[in-house]
């Protein structure tokens, strides 16, 4: 009986040992299989990453090639000058501005920029920056003036100083600026004085039309632009020098030929005035009187108006129809001018300029757009 129990214990012991061995074998087998699976997964992931990297590299190369092809196809040849001598205007309408960057301009800058139109149909803006005006005496005491009330915006005043200095170098001295900026009160006084002359013969619209033949309605006078002036020649104690009408003198002839180089235009050309070759522009300007007014518009605009023989009204219409032009001198780009529509009451405007430009000016036209002139 004892022997049977002993044999049973031995059997149980052997079974336990076999079971332990099996458990250990299974554990070792599981560990080895797990290691194999992990290694296989890592290998598969590495292969997948290699394939992904290869596809990404191929995509980037093909994309760069496609971008280069599209860029090459999109390059547009911009028209340039056709001559190497003299001045030339090239119409770039429909072509983008090259090397363009965006800039913002506030109303004050746009009002004083030079191209704000004033005439019978377009009046001074409600927020005209009268405080920006400067006395010519404070800018250049070498420019003779009628009195200390002769004021202009700084850009016009400095350009006038340069022009008078250039005339002096050409041998012409003794210019005098008779009148420049007029306040609205001053213009109203001129208007009321003229109206009083005809009040006993006209009334209503008839009176207004009669007065307008001599004096502009307050707010529509070119003298209220802060950019215009009337000039004459005068020498103290020399009646013979002072006696001829200015437009018949060599001083006037020099201005007619050269004022545009300094950013000025003769504002109201009529038939034969200021010189015998002048074509009448009164149908555009609304002024048939012989007004000896010069107006600062900026060198680029003055050059364009001079080359095309356009008054301000015609020039603005031209830019509306040709909103991108370039001006060349002897085959070299000097000015680039753009026009775009804008709300004339806007507080500011964003426009494009070329980053290659040396300088630029931005002006509201007081009609329907903003004009940018870049100089090179």
């Amino acid at each position: 009986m004892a022997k049977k129990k002993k044999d049973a214990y031995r059997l149980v012991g052997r079974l336990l040992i076999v079971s332990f061995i099996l458990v250990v074998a299974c554990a070792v087998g599981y560990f080895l299989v797990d290691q194999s699976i992990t290694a296989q997964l890592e290998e598969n992931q590495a292969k997948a990453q290699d394939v992904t990297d290869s596809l990404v590299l191929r995509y980037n190369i093909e994309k760069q090639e496609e971008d280069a092809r599209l860029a090459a196809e999109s390059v547009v040849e911009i028209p340039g000058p056709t001559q190497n001598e003299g001045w030339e205007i090239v119409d770039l309408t429909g072509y983008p501005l090259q090397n363009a960057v965006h800039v913002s301009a506030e109303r004050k800058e746009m009002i004083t920029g030079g191209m704000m139109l004033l005439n019978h149909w377009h009046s001074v803006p409600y927020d005209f920056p009268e405080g920006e005006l400067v006395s010519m005496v404070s800018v250049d005491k070498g420019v003779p003036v009628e009195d200390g009330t002769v004021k202009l915006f700084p850009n016009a005043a400095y350009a006038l100083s340069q022009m008078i200095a250039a005339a002096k170098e050409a041998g012409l001295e003794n210019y005098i600026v008779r009148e420049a900026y007029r306040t609205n009160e001053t213009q109203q006084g001129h208007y009321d004085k003229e109206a009083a002359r005809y009040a006993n013969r006209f009334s209503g619209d008839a009176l207004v039309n009669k007065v307008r033949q001599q004096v502009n309605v307050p707010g529509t006078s070119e003298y209220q632009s802060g950019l215009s002036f009337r000039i004459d020649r005068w020498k103290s104690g020399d009646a013979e020098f002072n006696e001829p009408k200015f437009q018949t003198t060599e001083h006037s002839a020099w201005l007619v030929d050269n004022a545009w180089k300094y950013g000025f235009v003769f504002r109201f050309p009529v038939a034969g005035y200021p010189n015998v070759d002048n074509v009448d522009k009164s149908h555009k300007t609304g002024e048939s009187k012989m007004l000896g007014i010069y107006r600062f518009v900026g060198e680029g605009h003055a050059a364009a108006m001079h080359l095309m023989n356009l008054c301000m009204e015609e020039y603005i219409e031209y830019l509306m129809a040709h909103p991108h032009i370039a001006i060349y001198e002897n085959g070299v780009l000097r000015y680039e001018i753009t026009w775009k529509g804008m709300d004339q009451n806007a507080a500011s405007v964003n426009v494009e300029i070329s980053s290659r430009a040396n300088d630029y000016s931005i002006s509201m036209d007081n009609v329907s757009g903003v004009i940018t002139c870049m100089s090179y």
Side-chain angles (χ1 to χ4, degrees):
M1 188 70 177
K3 184 179 180 180
K4 287 183 179 180
K5 286 184 179 180
K6 186 177 181 179
D7 290 340
Y9 288 142
R10 286 177 180 172
L11 179 60
V12 170
R14 289 189 183 119
L15 289 173
L16 288 174
I17 292 171
V18 171
S19 298
F20 176 76
I21 292 171
L22 288 173
V23 169
V24 171
C26 288
V28 170
Y30 175 80
F31 177 76
L32 293 175
V33 170
D34 182 65
Q35 288 289 93
S36 176
I37 292 173
T38 301
Q40 186 63 50
L41 286 173
E42 291 176 350
E43 181 180 353
N44 290 343
Q45 289 175 349
K47 288 181 179 179
Q49 187 62 49
D50 289 342
V51 172
T52 300
D53 291 343
S54 177
L55 290 173
V56 169
L57 178 61
R58 182 179 175 183
Y59 168 79
N60 288 335
I61 292 173
E62 291 180 351
K63 185 176 185 303
Q64 289 175 2
E65 292 174 348
E66 179 66 9
D67 289 345
R69 183 185 66 79
L70 292 174
E73 291 178 354
S74 65
V75 171
V76 178
E77 186 175 351
I78 306 296
T82 61
Q83 59 192 44
N84 294 322
E85 295 183 0
W87 290 83
E88 181 180 6
I89 295 178
V90 177
D91 185 5
L92 298 180
T93 301
Y95 293 95
L97 188 67
Q98 300 297 293
N99 306 106
V101 295
H102 286 86
V103 297
S104 178
E106 303 299 319
R107 279 189 64 81
K108 182 169 67 176
E109 179 182 355
M110 292 187 286
I111 291 173
T112 62
M115 284 302 299
M116 180 187 68
L117 184 66
L118 287 184
N119 57 23
H120 290 311
W121 310 281
H122 301 92
S123 58
V124 175
Y126 67 91
D127 53 350
F128 183 83
E130 191 172 23
E132 297 298 312
L133 294 161
V134 295
S135 169
M136 276 306 304
V137 174
S138 69
V139 172
D140 185 353
K141 292 182 173 61
V143 178
V145 295
E146 185 82 3
D147 54 46
T149 65
V150 173
K151 293 182 177 181
L152 292 167
F153 284 126
N155 49 357
Y158 288 115
L160 175 56
S161 174
Q162 292 176 339
M163 184 171 69
I164 296 300
K168 184 176 181 179
E169 289 183 6
L172 296 171
E173 299 187 63
N174 303 109
Y175 283 97
I176 184 171
V177 182
R178 295 292 189 188
E179 185 177 13
Y181 175 70
R182 283 182 188 172
T183 65
N184 201 65
E185 291 74 20
T186 298
Q187 186 64 26
Q188 186 70 56
H190 288 301
Y191 185 86
D192 291 344
K193 183 178 179 180
E194 190 69 13
R197 291 178 57 194
Y198 301 103
N200 60 341
R201 287 182 286 167
F202 301 92
S203 62
D205 291 342
L207 177 60
V208 172
N209 291 334
K210 184 64 178 179
V211 175
R212 279 179 54 181
Q213 293 176 13
Q214 299 299 322
V215 180
N216 290 87
V217 173
T220 67
S221 170
E222 183 60 39
Y223 285 112
Q224 294 182 257
S225 68
L227 299 162
S228 296
F229 58 89
R230 178 170 60 88
I231 197 167
D232 198 354
R233 72 173 196 170
W234 180 81
K235 186 185 297 184
S236 178
D238 193 334
E240 183 178 354
F241 182 86
N242 301 333
E243 195 265 337
K245 290 185 177 180
F246 179 68
Q247 304 302 339
T248 66
T249 68
E250 59 181 345
H251 288 67
S252 173
W254 188 90
L255 289 183
V256 170
D257 291 338
N258 295 282
W260 64 276
K261 300 173 185 176
Y262 304 92
F264 295 98
V265 295
F266 191 82
R267 180 64 183 92
F268 298 112
V270 294
Y273 185 85
N275 59 27
V276 294
D277 298 325
N278 261 88
V279 176
D280 183 62
K281 302 288 185 178
S282 62
H283 63 290
K284 285 293 184 180
T285 66
E287 290 289 356
S288 58
K289 301 184 290 295
M290 292 185 178
L291 300 175
I293 298 175
Y294 277 88
R295 160 72 181 257
F296 178 79
V297 294
E299 292 181 14
H301 300 306
M305 293 167 66
H306 171 77
L307 293 170
M308 293 187 286
N309 191 27
L310 301 178
C311 64
M312 277 191 71
E313 287 80 1
E314 291 173 318
Y315 178 56
I316 290 172
E317 290 176 359
Y318 175 84
L319 290 179
M320 293 170 71
H322 307 84
H324 187 189
I325 64 173
I327 304 176
Y328 291 85
E329 181 185 15
N330 299 327
V332 177
L333 180 63
R334 287 289 306 277
Y335 306 104
E336 195 167 8
I337 299 168
T338 63
W339 179 96
K340 80 169 189 175
M342 70 161 284
D343 177 1
Q344 298 298 287
N345 292 316
S348 64
V349 66
N350 290 315
V351 299
E352 287 186 342
I353 65 166
S354 171
S355 60
R356 298 188 297 111
N358 294 328
D359 198 4
Y360 66 90
S361 66
I362 301 172
S363 304
M364 59 185 283
D365 60 18
N366 209 25
V367 180
S368 61
V370 59
I371 305 171
T372 304
C373 180
M374 293 148 277
S375 58
Y376 294 87

